[in-house]
């Protein structure tokens, strides 16, 4: 036998083994999908019309277990990502989940929506954060995905402000590493760029890079970075800062990669819906609190959390928009509102402040 014959035989044997494993995986996936169908039957038993198919707490547990069980060679994230897709397909068998996101196509928010719900979700773009809220409120879609904070640029105030007039709940969160690219179209003359389009947040996240590479070029803020990419078509003297997906979608050429000033630049998104989510075991809670305008008010809001060892992950103040709300605070902390310690703390805080609304308890981002 020559070397190449030996190599051929080894390959054949391994591929044979892979075929056998694939057949087994396929059979198991089908068996799992049948279980999901039976779950749907149970949820709709006795003609229930208000069945909730998507269960964020259960999904988080399934993904966490996939990571805990994993012993390599695939990374925990990679393993969870595979299970994410299997579960997404199973949920689509029960009921295809419809998700509104801040569009247009190609935005980071679309990436966040697919990262959270998987590729089998029906994701629909809307051009403003208010519209995403309205679609979910109207019941035209099951859930919405909106950006809420960026590690470099801070809070997306428009999202927070929408919660002041909405009864929607936060059902989940997604974190996404955000990489920016400088892109041009096929007709751009790279030496004659006179303006760069992007979303204001993206321009801000690349401020230092732009200052050193394109110091005297006009920066034009547009409604999203996918919109910036879309505008390039036919413009010979413009470039855009855009995500990879938008560059692919609009057939653009990347002339500089990963131009964000902070290498760990990431954005957090919220899943909004009408549903209250039971505890997954590792949860976060978000509150909207209206304060009384009196000395020590902020201290009396925060002190009970400290005393009960509840970990505050974010405190954000926003101007109120009515006479009743003098100023409001958005508070995030670790724990679920039904945990005994949390619910006692919330009762105590509620008695001190003008108003307290639980925006939602939801699983901590897994992926
Ligand atoms: O456990 C359920 O309630 C299911 O519907 C099954 C399943 C799954 O495939 O594991 C599917 C969708 C839900 O969002 C959560 C889990």
């Amino acid at each position: 036998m020559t070397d190449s014959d030996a190599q051929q035989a080894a390959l054949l044997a391994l591929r044979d083994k892979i075929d056998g494993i694939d057949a087994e995986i396929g059979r198991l996936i089908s068996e799992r999908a049948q279980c999901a169908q039976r779950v749907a039957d149970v949820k709709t038993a006795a003609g229930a019309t208000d069945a909730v198919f998507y269960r964020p707490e259960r999904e988080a547990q399934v993904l966490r277990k996939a990571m805990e069980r994993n012993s390599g060679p695939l990374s925990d994230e990679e393993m969870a990502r595979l299970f994410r897709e299997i579960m997404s397909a199973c949920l689509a068998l029960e009921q295809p989940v419809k998700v509104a996101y801040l569009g247009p196509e190609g935005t980071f928010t679309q990436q966040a929506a697919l990262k959270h719900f998987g590729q089998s979700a029906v994701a629909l773009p809307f051009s403003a954060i208010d519209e995403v809220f309205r679609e979910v409120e109207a019941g035209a879609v099951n859930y919405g995905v909106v950006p809420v904070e960026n590690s470099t640029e801070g809070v997306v105030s428009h999202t927070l402000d929408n919660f002041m007039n909405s009864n929607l709940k936060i059902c989940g969160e997604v974190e996404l590493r955000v990489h920016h690219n400088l892109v041009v179209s096929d007709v751009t003359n790279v030496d004659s760029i006179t303006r760069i389009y992007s979303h204001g947040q993206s321009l801000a996240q690349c401020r230092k890079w732009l200052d050193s590479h394109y110091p005297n070029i006009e920066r034009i803020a547009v409604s999203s970075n996918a919109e910036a990419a879309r505008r390039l078509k036919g413009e010979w003297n413009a470039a855009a800062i855009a995500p990879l997906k938008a560059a692919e979608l609009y057939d653009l050429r990347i002339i500089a990669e990963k131009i964000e000033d902070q290498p760990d630049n990431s954005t957090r998104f919220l899943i909004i819906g009408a549903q209250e989510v039971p505890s997954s075991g590792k949860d976060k809670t978000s509150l909207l609190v209206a304060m009384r305008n009196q000395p020590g008010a902020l201290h009396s809001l925060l002190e009970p959390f400290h005393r009960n060892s509840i970990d505050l992950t974010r405190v954000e103040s926003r101007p109120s928009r009515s006479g009743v709300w003098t100023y409001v605070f958005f508070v995030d902390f670790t724990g679920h509102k039904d945990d005994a310690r949390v619910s006692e703390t919330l009762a105590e805080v509620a008695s001190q402040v003008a108003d307290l609304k639980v925006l939602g308890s939801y699983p901590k981002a897994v992926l």
Side-chain angles (χ1 to χ4, degrees), residues 32-33 35-37 39-40 43 52-60 62 83-84 86-92 94:
R32 191 190 193 286
C35 277
Q37 283 176 318
V39 167
K43 288 177 183 169
V52 180
F53 295 98
Y54 170 62
R55 297 288 172 87
E57 79 289 4
R58 173 66 184 157
E59 295 215 347
V62 169
F83 273 89
R84 160 68 291 151
I86 292 173
M87 211 161 29
S88 178
C90 287
L91 174 60
E94 295 187 38

Side-chain angles (χ1 to χ4, degrees), residues 56 76 85 91 93 111 126 146 168 172 179-180 192 297 308 328 367:
D76 290 355
E85 287 310 324
L91 174 60
L93 265 185
Q111 267 181 57
F126 288 87
V146 287
L168 291 182
H179 297 300
H180 292 299
S192 317
N308 293 310
V328 296
L367 276 172

